[in-house]
Amino acid sequence: MKIRGMIRPLSAACLLAAFAAVPPAGFAATLVGNPQAGKSKVYTCHGCHGIPGYENAYPNYHVPRIVGQNEQYLVNALHEYQSGDRSHPTMAAQADSLSDQDIADIAAYLASFAKKP
Ligand code: HEC
């Protein structure tokens, strides 16, 4: 009987298939942002980024305007602060507290302002 010898390659193939099904960490492209959920999540961003009103609450240092920014740009930026590709201690601390879904929701909410006149 050759069944014994066949079990191993088969289970190895199953294992590979299982790993292939797991999306790589940080892959957020499939997440759909919910602007309504994002609205409550940007509460902590108000102090520095001044949403809404586009006013900078702290004029003594530069804070980029994020409201109305491109959705994918915001998602990328927040992931880059998380991963360290962008180094900024304050924003890294902010981004670290966000889940991928939070980031998607926040980006959807902020980007929604760009579509309005
Ligand atoms: C304590 C002040 C502070 C808070 C709170 C804060 N930010 Fe920031 N944020 C900054 C500063 C300063 C920068 C510019 C950092 C740099 O130069 O990389 C920045 C940059 C960013 C950028 C990049 C913008 C660009 O044009 O590249 C995004 C996106 C962003 N913040 C999103 C958020 C979100 C979302 C929140 C709330 C979860 C938040 N920030 C809370 C201070 C803050």
Side-chain angles (χ1 to χ4, degrees):
M1 292 285 272
K2 283 183 177 169
I3 292 171
R4 245 186 164 192
M6 280 180 72
I7 289 170
R8 256 196 209 168
L10 205 75
S11 52
C14 287
L15 219 70
L16 270 176
F19 273 116
V22 178
F27 185 74
T30 51
L31 284 176
V32 178
N34 177 348
Q36 280 312 111
K39 189 173 183 177
S40 59
K41 292 176 183 175
V42 295
Y43 181 77
T44 50
C45 324
H46 283 216
C48 293
H49 290 281
I51 313 156
Y54 318 147
E55 294 279 312
N56 184 356
Y58 298 109
N60 53 326
Y61 65 88
H62 173 71
V63 170
R65 174 177 153 175
I66 55 173
V67 71
Q69 181 57 272
N70 176 273
E71 186 169 349
Q72 193 55 52
Y73 178 89
L74 292 168
V75 169
N76 290 346
L78 289 167
H79 281 293
E80 283 161 17
Y81 284 119
Q82 279 183 340
S83 69
D85 285 347
R86 279 191 186 217
S87 69
H88 193 280
T90 305
M91 269 315 298
Q94 292 292 322
D96 274 347
S97 67
L98 302 172
S99 71
D100 286 352
Q101 186 64 57
D102 291 340
I103 288 177
D105 292 345
I106 286 171
Y109 174 66
L110 293 173
S112 70
F113 288 91
K115 292 160 196 157
K116 291 171 188 165

